[in-house]
């Protein structure tokens, strides 16, 4: 699956709350909703940027020095708990939700 970092970043870019149930990504006819299309586009963009930034693997990992090996300057929400949201005109603060050994980072104000 996608690395946790990329999921956090793509959800932020698409403006979707991580707690949003997957069901709202499909409409009554089983087709993708506007949110699903936005999320798919955001995932593609985030992955393309990660690859351009030098990522050779799409898994979360840490280098021997403990730093994130790639894509580290491009994070909008990942590992930014308590920092100001980067979306223009948003006054939100990035929140962290721990779950099953990982953390999800998101902006509670602009991610609906
Ligand atoms: Zn925000």
């Amino acid at each position: 699956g996608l690395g946790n970092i990329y999921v956090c970043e793509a959800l932020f870019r698409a403006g979707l709350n991580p707690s949003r149930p997957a069901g709202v990504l499909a409409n009554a006819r089983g087709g993708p909703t506007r949110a699903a299309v936005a999320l798919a586009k955001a995932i593609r963009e985030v992955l393309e940027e990660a690859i351009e930034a030098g990522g050779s693997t799409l898994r979360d990992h840490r280098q021997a020095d403990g730093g994130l090996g790639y894509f580290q300057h491009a994070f909008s929400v990942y590992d930014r708990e308590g920092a100001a949201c980067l979306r223009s005109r948003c006054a939100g603060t990035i929140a962290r939700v721990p779950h099953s050994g990982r953390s999800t980072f998101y902006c509670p104000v602009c991610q609906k």
Side-chain angles (χ1 to χ4, degrees):
L2 289 170
N4 190 45
I5 292 171
Y6 303 104
V7 173
C8 294
E9 295 295 309
L11 285 167
F12 173 77
R13 193 170 298 210
L16 299 175
N17 192 292
S19 65
R20 177 187 277 245
V24 303
L25 295 176
N27 61 32
R29 296 184 306 280
T33 61
R34 187 173 299 182
V37 172
L39 181 58
K41 179 171 181 284
I43 288 171
R44 265 198 313 275
E45 289 173 355
V46 166
L47 292 179
E48 283 170 5
E49 287 167 23
I51 291 164
E52 284 172 15
S56 58
T57 169
L58 302 181
R59 294 171 45 234
D60 296 358
H61 75 179
R62 285 184 180 268
Q63 291 183 319
D65 65 1
L68 289 164
Y70 52 90
F71 204 43
Q72 56 187 321
H73 302 298
F75 295 150
S76 297
V77 289
Y78 189 83
D79 212 18
R80 294 191 70 244
E81 181 184 16
C85 177
L86 296 179
R87 202 184 304 275
S88 60
R89 295 188 296 280
C90 179
T93 300
I94 304 307
R96 181 176 69 91
V97 180
H99 58 98
S100 55
R102 295 181 153 191
S103 291
T104 295
F105 296 86
Y106 75 105
C107 174
V109 175
C110 64
Q111 290 181 248
K112 304 293 185 190

